[in-house]
Amino acid sequence: MTIRCQDNASGSVTFCDRFSFDADSVHYAVELRAPGLTARVNEVVAWTWDSDLTTFLEALAADYRGWDGERSWQTNDRDLTVSAVFQSGGHVGLTWALRPWPQAADSWGASVTTWLEAGEQMTSLAADVRHFLAEKHE
């Protein structure tokens, strides 16, 4: 599944290589691309008991009329963070940040921002992420 920025299609976020060891978690890779940047974390973990990315994206889609400030979500391990801002004109800026091993002295970080329409594009993104993370999706 690839999310492309509506303003500049060379900026993208790809979710891929999904697998699961048990019913409690889903593992997947996230890749960020932008001009001069390719960054990948091979094993992001989504826990079934934790607040998931889908819930966060669905809440953003439900607030299509906008909000003040920044909203954010992160995995339990903090290797994937998503921050959202609402811009007048009905657009949402999603900043996807990868930072594997955030506690390590030699860790690195990278981010890409995608801009989407607040209504249908956000609703579609939430549905696509839900489908990707669903247990029955193989």
Side-chain angles (χ1 to χ4, degrees):
M1 177 190 78
T2 299
I3 304 143
R4 295 198 186 285
C5 180
Q6 74 172 19
D7 295 339
N8 183 351
S10 63
S12 66
V13 179
T14 300
F15 286 65
C16 57
D17 301 335
R18 181 196 178 282
F19 65 96
S20 224
F21 293 118
D22 54 43
D24 293 330
S25 64
V26 175
H27 302 247
Y28 55 95
V30 177
E31 185 171 279
L32 306 179
R33 290 188 178 270
L37 171 73
T38 300
R40 180 182 170 109
V41 172
N42 287 320
E43 194 171 345
V44 173
V45 181
W47 298 97
T48 56
W49 45 262
D50 202 9
S51 173
D52 72 359
L53 178 57
T54 303
T55 303
F56 175 71
L57 295 172
E58 287 172 343
L60 296 177
D63 288 342
Y64 65 91
R65 293 178 193 233
W67 62 87
D68 292 325
E70 182 179 275
R71 295 181 179 180
S72 63
W73 171 90
Q74 64 185 9
T75 59
N76 193 46
D77 297 331
R78 297 188 324 238
D79 48 3
L80 171 62
T81 302
V82 182
S83 301
V85 295
F86 186 86
Q87 183 181 54
S88 63
H91 293 90
V92 177
L94 296 172
T95 299
W96 307 82
L98 295 177
R99 186 168 180 89
W101 317 287
Q103 305 302 327
D106 61 347
S107 69
W108 56 269
S111 65
V112 168
T113 300
T114 57
W115 287 94
L116 303 171
E117 292 176 4
E120 285 301 314
Q121 285 185 344
M122 283 301 303
T123 300
S124 179
L125 172 60
D128 289 348
V129 170
R130 178 173 296 288
H131 178 73
F132 177 80
L133 294 176
E135 290 182 60
K136 294 178 183 172
H137 174 75
E138 291 299 331

